[in-house]
Each structure stands twice: as structure tokens, then as C-alpha cells.
Amino acid sequence: MYKHTVGSRTYSFQSLKELLAKATPLRSGDQLAGLAAESYEERVVAQMKLAELPLKTFLEDHLIPYEKDEVTRLIVDNHDAKNFQYISHFTVGDFRNWLLSEEADSTLLSKIKFSITPEMAAAVSKIMSLQDLILVASKCKVITSFRTTIGLPGRFSTRLQPNHPTDDLKGIAASLLDGLMYGSGDAVIGVNPATDNVHATIKIVELIDSVRQKYSIPIQSCVLSHISTTIESIKLGAPVDLVFQSIGGSEALNKSFGINLSLLKEGHQAALQLNRGTTGKNLMYFETGQGSGLSANAHHGIDQQTLETRAYAVARVFDPLLVNTVVGFIGPEYLYNGKQIIRAGLEDHFCGKLLGLPMGCDVCYTNHAEADQDDMDNLLTLLAAAGCNFIMGVPGADDIMLNYQSTSFHDALYVRKLFGLKPAPEFEEWLLKIGIVDANMNLLGKTEGAQKLLNYVKKA
């Protein structure tokens, strides 16, 4: 039990799980689960108590028992005890102050990433301001590569998302071309299939790969099918680049997705054997989202942000190319309004980067949430300042298949122009060569090279 007295009143928190939940900034998902603080005062008291907690506590008090959950076992078994010496004497509050100090530079933060458990990262995020989250995340440099190199200083990448409600190849090709003409797609050309089956997956990856090979475009593709579908596609000879899967922070949640750690390992190994990368071998793509544990009744009484951060422990052991939090996609039942979505996006990005992940964010909302494009513009700009690796590039920011609002090709151009950023170097070189942009990354329109690409994609 954890107690904290304020004046004549003593607040009691029955477990570390409850303390973390009550210390979490307000969000509707925790209210729905009955885990949120009952008042603003109780939340602040919980945050004060949490700040006094030694980091060592998280190595001894497991939110889900070791013997009952393979994610817990993964966290414990992969903990870097040697480098934990740098932070082992800290409380959560001390840890926050140290992260903000000059001593905690990019090199040291990278060195201790496996010494920080997800619960430590989640705990410290709960007592940090938005400024804190942005500043520390900006110091965490995570660079990955497959055909393009993502996360380099001065770079900002996009996932080109040419979804179509019937998986029509002409529709996908049109959106693909649109994105390329705006300099989008250096993180991945990633299609959410309307129908998750082997036939649809193979058709789409073959289309994208034909365009890639014809014009020597340094990109990687991914059809966001279930990992078992991707494995079967690989067995049938499909030109699979990246292996995708949605993941969660508990064994029960991953089971609801139809996966476990063994299946993730099988998919990773299957794609590695194809040896399709040219600049690197990071080939896993994971997506996460606060609230999925509650949806599946697999949260074990853990607040949604802490459970989200546990998912990052699953991701990092597979050395992924990309990880992104689809922050506002699940809906207002979990993140009610723009304020909650913005806070959650910055928390997720901070926690992922602190744990050593190449974090991106789907800056998004559903139409029944109390949010609008102004909120998304705010989050987009704050994430860019925080050093986010990539965002989504959706035609018109309106995904006609998944029916939600995300970010457009123009949003990425805005970020690059505002912060003086460029796409991945290999992709930038191709954009210059084909004549889509000039040396200052200004769009050139329909040059000869761009027109040839246009004509080819139309035929494809």
C-alpha cells in the first residue's frame, strides 16, 4: 500500500498498479475502466507519491505476475542490469530531473535504453509537462534502415498510405502516385488492406514492387495484413519487404490479436531470410494504440498509457524499422478530446523514444471525437519539435477505407519547410534525380521524369 498525507487527509493507493493509474493525466479510457483518479486533487497527490518512488521498485513489483504473462517475462529477462547503475539510485522524480539535465545526452540515453523498463518510462511521463516530454524526446536519436535511412538528424519521413475501400489496384496506384509527387513515402508505402487474405496481400505488394523496380525508387513496402497472412505470402514467393503487426502490452491482449511472441519471431525470421534490404535489416513495422487493452478486456487493471508503453518492450526486441502509435484512432471512449489526444501522442512518442524505438505517430482522430484539425495541427507541430521519426501521408488527410482523419502529404511538406527538414537521404536523392523537387526541396510539378512515372503508374 502507498499512502500520502495532505493536510488532515491521507490518501491510500492499494498497489503500484493503482498508484500509476491514479497519477495518470485524465483520459476517458481510464474513467471507463474505473481506474482514473476521482478528483484533480487525488491525481496530484498520486503524482507526488509516484515522484517519491525509487526506480528499483519497478524491478520488484510487477504489474502482471512474471509466471502469468510472457510480456512481463520479456521485460524482466531483457533488463540491462549493468547499465542500470546510471539511474538505479533515482526516484521517479529524480529521474525526471536527470532526463532534463545536460548529463542525459543522446549517447547516454541510447546506452541505458534496455535499463529502463516500460513501467519506469510510463511513470516518469506521468509527472512531466508537455515541454518536458518534447525536450527529452528530442534528445533520443533512433536511426533505422532498410532501403532508406530513417531518423537521421535533420530528416522527417512519411508513410505513404494509399488505402482503398475495395483494394482496387487502380485506386491504390493513383494515391501512390499522388504521394510520390509530393515527396511522400520514404518511411514506407503502407497499405491497410480492406480484405485480409493472402491473395489481396500479394496483389498489392506486387503492384508497389513493380513501380519501385521500374523507377529504382528507394522505398520499402508493407501490406498491413495479419502477420500470419504475411508469412503465408512469403511462402508463396511474394516480394515482402516489411512485416506488420498490431501489438499490445500484455499476453492476453496479444492473444486477442491472434499473436504471441513466438509468431512475431517466426515472421521476423521469414522476412530476414528474403534479404531484400539494401541499407539495413530493420524490417518489422508495429502499430499500437492506447485503449486496445480495455477493448479486449486484457488490461489487467493497468491504466491505458502504462499498458501502451509495455507494448514498446515487445517491439524493441525485434529491432523494428518503424513503430507508430495510432493515437486517436480508437475513439473518444479512450481519448475523449483534442487535449487528451495531444497529451497521449506526446507521451507515447516520449516513452517509445526513451525505450529506444524509431517512433512515429498517426496524428489522427475519428469524427465522433471532440477534436478537429486544429488539434491535429498542434500535435503535428509539437511532435516535429520533439523529433518524431515519421507521420502518415494520406490523400487529403481523409482515409476513405478506415474512415478517420489523419495527416496529408501537404502536412509533411509544412513540417519540412517549417523546421528545415528533408526526407530520408536515399529518397531525397531520387526525388532530385527524377525532377520532383529542386535542391531546396521545392516541388517542381510535372517535369519530364515525373511525367514518365505518371504514365507508368497509370498503366500499372
Side-chain angles (χ1 to χ4, degrees), residues 217-270:
I217 313 174
I219 52 173
Q220 41 275 334
S221 66
C222 183
V223 176
L224 282 68
S225 303
H226 191 273
I227 191 169
S228 58
T229 303
T230 304
I231 291 171
E232 288 303 311
S233 299
I234 290 173
K235 291 178 180 178
L236 292 174
V240 171
D241 290 338
L242 306 188
V243 174
F244 168 81
Q245 183 57 48
S246 295
I247 56 173
S250 74
E251 181 177 341
L253 177 51
N254 285 327
K255 185 177 180 180
S256 76
F257 292 143
I259 64 167
N260 53 34
L261 297 179
S262 178
L263 185 60
L264 293 178
K265 185 177 181 179
E266 181 183 347
H268 182 233
Q269 290 300 315

Side-chain angles (χ1 to χ4, degrees), residues 329 365-367 398-405:
F329 180 73
Y365 65 102
T366 56
N367 287 314
D398 184 5
D399 192 300
I400 59 173
M401 194 279 280
L402 293 174
N403 196 28
Y404 78 118
Q405 309 305 309

Side-chain angles (χ1 to χ4, degrees), residues 159-167 171-172 175 190-193 224 394-395 399-402 404:
R159 167 193 162 186
L160 202 174
Q161 186 170 307
N163 294 344
H164 191 277
T166 63
D167 289 337
I172 292 172
S175 295
V191 179
N192 296 88
L224 282 68
V394 179
D399 192 300
I400 59 173
M401 194 279 280
L402 293 174
Y404 78 118

Side-chain angles (χ1 to χ4, degrees), residues 21-43:
K22 294 293 178 68
T24 305
L26 181 64
R27 57 210 54 189
S28 52
D30 291 335
Q31 290 179 305
L32 184 63
L35 303 175
E38 295 181 4
S39 66
Y40 190 87
E41 182 177 271
E42 185 181 26
R43 183 173 302 109

